[in-house]
Amino acid sequence: MITRLSTLFLRTLRDDPAEADVASHKLLLRAGYIRRAAPGIYTWLPLGLKVLRKIEAIVREEMDAINGQEVHFPALLPAEPYRRTNRWVEYGPNLFRLKDRRDNDYLLAPTHEEMFTLLVKDHFSSYKDLPAIVYQIQTKYRDEARPRAGLIRGREFVMKDSYSFDVDDAGLEAAYAKHRDAYERVFTRLGLDYVICQAMSGAMGGSASEEFLFPTPIGEDTFVRSPGGYTANAEAVTTPTPADLDFSTTPEPSQVLTPDAKTIATLVAALEEAAPREAGWKAADTLKHVVLTATEPTGDKRLVVIGLPGDRDVDLKRVEAALAPAEIETATPEDLEDYPELVPGFIGTRHIGPQGRRAEDGSSLITYLMDARVPRGSAWVTGGDETNYHTINAVFGRDFEVDGRIEAAEIRAGDPAPDGSGPLELARGIEIGHIFQLGRKYAESLGLTVLDENGVARVVTMGSYGIGVSRILAALAEEYHDEQGLTWPIQVAPAHVHIVVAGRGEDSEQAAEQLAETLTAHDVEVILDDRPKVRAGVKFTDAELLGAPIIVVVGRSLADGVLEVRTRASGEREDVPVGEAAATIVERVRAGLAGEGA
């Protein structure tokens, strides 16, 4: 079937929409692939839907190849299963909650672990039924606080989620490996660069997980890699626990006057004057205390103080990953109103953690967590707990204790990889896939068991595997574009060929029509710009904006018996005799679909 621009539901835009902040968002709106319905919510228009369906088809083929079986759940779900796994609470404000007319609780599903678990529970009762892989491609919903970048972070999105069900951990590991390999094939077929990174499981739970990231400067995720092959999301980088230090010769702590030294830089300068020493002072000698608030999904809020070397900053995403499902924010003056013992700029160790005030249950009223890189027995300059004073020679483990350790400090380029494989480099990326070894968390909560060969009930072990289908479309647009517009890979383009009728008269129209029909008969997808009253310049601009891999111009050269064939991505142009055009284009399309380039 030929897609004719004269009748296509399409309106292109000449200027970038004001709300668009990244290239993919701008171009998908301008080219008429999507339209904004509300913040973080988009309508799919005909061309956008064609691309989306092609991505889905590739994902579906690779899932079927590992014996995945497709189902389709509703997006509107009852709350009860999510209550049983506690995710009704743990998801916090990101969950869209609603009630029906009988006051029953429902949600718009952000993910479907509970429903898949219950479905398998309804169907299987014996170890002979396993292993099984079940998947769906479904719309998901999350109430993102700050939707951004169009399809990259929205409130409604399309995702493939699959789940493996096995009797034992060996089966889970095999299913995990199958999915990992399938994902690599998916992204390779799509022509999308990717990096596989160690990741945090977060609210999903489970023993291990990996992310597939598309490297791009606009990505929200920071990841690291080393020359020796270590890769991880920055949130998942672990710091080897340093050995305890001998503090037997360290003097007792003492207070020094440090007027107005509320920053690390002014503190170092004040120390040089108030307590000079031969080695001098530097930011790394100070123990910075950063006060945060942790808000639990229940709404309960508590203060958390992070201790870390003064030459490092706190990475809030790393803290949030470590304290999930709590939401983490920097404490405000209002948050500190009930804690007059915390003196901004001069917070020490006396009033936080085990040595501070206690809650009714005996826990620290102000939780004190120490960054993993700080060794016990090390001596520090800390706040003096009173204005204009700091404490020197405060020893961790002698003079103060903490409630626990945390990976909180920012990761820097040049830091050593945890596995000893060399210095880390930092990059940014968009998460396009995530695989989890869930284990038995959901099966235990929902009572999913099967009888083994001895007739004994065994809790099933599960894996969860997601691909962001609509996000992949945005990632492809981010990767494949130039100043003129989109440059889709042939595997996902809305059409293989875009024919522009640039000449006037019936001869041009008939030649374009005949070529389009011949190509269509050979399974080549065609966009035909047959708009009768549109100038050739506008048609060329739209063809470049829409991004089909091959552009054919039926124009003045038709009088000489040739058509101009352009390769959209490279800009190469070739005059092809009219009689050879169809065969030439068909060959190029088939070669492109076979992975030999368009």
Side-chain angles (χ1 to χ4, degrees), residues 324-338:
E327 290 192 351
I328 306 300
E329 295 179 306
T330 301
T332 65
E334 291 74 20
D335 294 322
L336 300 179
E337 287 179 353
D338 293 332

Side-chain angles (χ1 to χ4, degrees), residues 328-402:
I328 306 300
E329 295 179 306
T330 301
T332 65
E334 291 74 20
D335 294 322
L336 300 179
E337 287 179 353
D338 293 332
Y339 305 92
E341 65 269 35
L342 299 184
V343 183
F346 300 93
I347 296 173
T349 61
R350 279 187 289 167
H351 305 299
I352 56 180
Q355 47 281 329
R357 280 196 284 163
R358 297 280 180 165
E360 290 183 3
D361 62 2
S363 63
S364 301
L365 197 63
I366 302 172
T367 303
Y368 185 17
L369 302 177
M370 185 65 72
D371 183 68
R373 69 189 63 247
V374 177
R376 291 184 65 82
S378 53
W380 299 90
V381 178
T382 73
D385 290 311
E386 56 182 301
T387 303
N388 295 330
Y389 282 90
H390 278 82
T391 301
I392 62 174
N393 297 321
V395 174
F396 173 29
R398 183 192 71 181
D399 304 313
F400 63 92
E401 285 292 349
V402 297

Side-chain angles (χ1 to χ4, degrees), residues 303-327:
L303 284 189
V304 176
V305 176
I306 305 294
L308 73 164
D311 62 340
R312 297 269 175 168
D313 288 328
V314 164
D315 184 332
L316 290 182
K317 291 190 72 174
R318 277 166 60 77
V319 174
E320 196 157 54
L323 300 182
E327 290 192 351

